[in-house]
Amino acid sequence: MSSIPIEYYLILSTFMFIVGVIGVLIRRNAIVVFMCIELMLNSANLALVTFSSYLGNPAGQVFVFFVMTVAAAEAAVGLAIIIAIFRNKMTVNIDEINIFKW
Amino acid sequence: MNLQILLFVILSLIAAVSSVMMITRRNAVMSALFLILNFFALAGLYLLLNAQFIAVVQIIVYAGAIMVLFLFVIMLLRTDNEPSILNNNKSLKYFAIALGAFVFIQVAYLISYGRPSRKLTPNEELSVKVGTIQNIGKELYTNYFIPFEVAGFLLLAATIGAIILAKKKFE
C-alpha cells in the first residue's frame, strides 16, 4: 500500500465515476442506468476506503458500510419501481417513460 | 517489480476496462456481468488497501446480493437489446462523452499536480489494524451506534416499500 501513491487510487476512482455519469447519460435502458448509479457509488466507496486506509482512520470504512446499506435499499426500491412501470407501460426505455412530462 | 504495484496495475486495469465495457454493451445481461467483474476487481483493491472487512462485504453484498437482484429483474422483464448505444440523439451523446472526458482530465490534473495541503505519510501497521473486522465492529457498535440502528430501520422501510410497490399496479 505504501509503495503506491494515493493519487493512483483517486484517479481510478474519478475515472469510474465519470464512466458512470456517461453511462447514465447515454444508455436508454432504465435497469442499466441503475447499474451505472451503482458504479458511481462504488467509485465513491473506493475514494473513501483509500483515504481511510492512508490516514489510518476507520471513519471512512464505516461510511462505506453505510453507503452499501443505502445502495441495497435503493436497489430494492428502484427495481420495484421499474417493475411497476413495466407493468403499466410494457417498456423500460427511459425515452418512452415520460408520464411526468406535459 | 514490486508485487503490490503489479497487483494494483492488474486490478485497476480490470476495473477500468470492465466499467467501460459495461456501459457499451447493448445487452443488459452482459452489462450486469461486467459490473460484477468490476466489483470483484474493487474487492481486490480494497484488500490491497488493507480493508479486509469492506472487501468481504463488497463481494457478499454487492456482487452477491445486489447484482443477483439486478440479474433477476433483467431476466424477469425480458427487455430487448438497445438498437445502438449512439443511435438516436447522436450529437447530444457525443457531447456527453466529450464533457465527461473534459471533467475527468481536469480532476485528474488537479489530483496529480494540485498542491497538497499536507503530505500523507501512510502508516502500514495502523492501516492494517484499522481495517480488521474487530475494529470496524467496535466502531459500529460504539461511535456509530445510532446511524447503525437507523440503517437497520432504512432496510426495513425499503423492504416494505419494495413489497408494496411490486404487489399491484399503480392506481
Side-chain angles (χ1 to χ4, degrees):
Chain A
M1 175 196 109
S2 47
S3 55
I4 305 166
I6 190 171
E7 287 88 357
Y8 293 4
Y9 285 107
L10 296 181
I11 287 176
L12 176 67
S13 160
T14 315
F15 179 78
M16 277 170 49
F17 191 87
I18 296 290
V19 168
V21 172
I22 292 176
V24 168
L25 290 176
I26 71 173
R27 293 305 297 259
R28 299 271 71 92
N29 187 332
I31 300 172
V32 179
V33 169
F34 252 100
M35 291 197 293
C36 291
I37 294 173
E38 299 289 333
L39 185 68
M40 285 151 71
L41 283 169
N42 266 282
S43 73
N45 281 355
L46 179 62
L48 280 170
V49 171
T50 305
F51 276 116
S52 159
S53 178
Y54 274 74
L55 292 168
N57 187 344
Q61 295 183 24
V62 175
F63 261 84
V64 169
F65 181 80
F66 289 129
V67 169
M68 281 177 179
T69 315
V70 173
E74 174 239 327
V77 175
L79 289 172
I81 289 174
I82 288 178
I83 288 178
I85 289 175
F86 186 80
R87 279 190 186 155
N88 254 18
K89 310 271 289 185
M90 295 311 279
T91 180
V92 289
N93 187 329
I94 55 176
D95 279 340
E96 294 167 36
I97 303 170
N98 47 12
I99 41 182
F100 276 175
K101 211 188 239 173
W102 57 284
Chain B
M1 197 172 177
N2 196 336
L3 179 66
Q4 278 182 333
I5 295 183
L6 190 69
L7 276 174
F8 174 79
V9 169
I10 293 171
L11 288 171
S12 59
L13 272 181
I14 292 175
V17 170
S18 64
S19 64
V20 173
M21 294 289 273
M22 176 214 149
I23 67 162
T24 50
R25 295 304 95 184
R26 276 157 48 188
N27 190 337
V29 176
M30 289 307 288
S31 288
L33 293 179
F34 275 112
L35 189 58
I36 292 172
L37 180 65
N38 185 27
F39 287 166
F40 272 101
L42 271 185
L45 285 172
Y46 291 159
L47 277 182
L48 213 56
L49 283 164
N50 299 323
Q52 322 156 14
F53 173 64
I54 296 298
V56 173
V57 170
Q58 170 88 5
I59 290 178
I60 293 176
V61 173
Y62 260 118
I66 296 183
M67 289 318 293
V68 167
L69 190 66
F70 270 95
L71 279 174
F72 201 76
V73 170
I74 290 170
M75 291 172 178
L76 199 68
L77 294 190
R78 190 184 44 84
T79 60
D80 34 345
N81 293 358
E82 294 183 41
S84 169
I85 311 284
L86 293 167
N87 208 8
N88 49 348
N89 264 343
K90 212 168 195 169
S91 56
L92 206 63
K93 287 175 178 175
Y94 279 124
F95 178 69
I97 292 172
L99 199 68
F102 177 65
V103 172
F104 171 68
I105 290 168
Q106 268 187 325
V107 177
Y109 179 81
L110 270 180
I111 289 171
S112 311
Y113 299 107
R115 183 183 295 164
S117 56
R118 182 159 71 95
K119 198 71 188 167
L120 282 179
T121 48
N123 183 341
E124 191 82 22
E125 284 135 54
L126 184 63
S127 86
V128 170
K129 208 171 92 327
V130 157
T132 55
I133 186 161
Q134 288 97 335
N135 193 40
I136 304 286
K138 204 188 80 204
E139 287 286 324
L140 275 178
Y141 280 106
T142 54
N143 292 340
Y144 296 90
F145 185 66
I146 292 174
F148 186 68
E149 293 293 324
V150 172
F153 191 76
L154 176 74
L155 283 176
L156 175 69
T159 315
I160 295 172
I163 291 171
I164 288 174
L165 271 174
K167 203 175 65 178
K168 56 178 186 232
K169 288 189 177 185
F170 280 144
E171 301 301 332

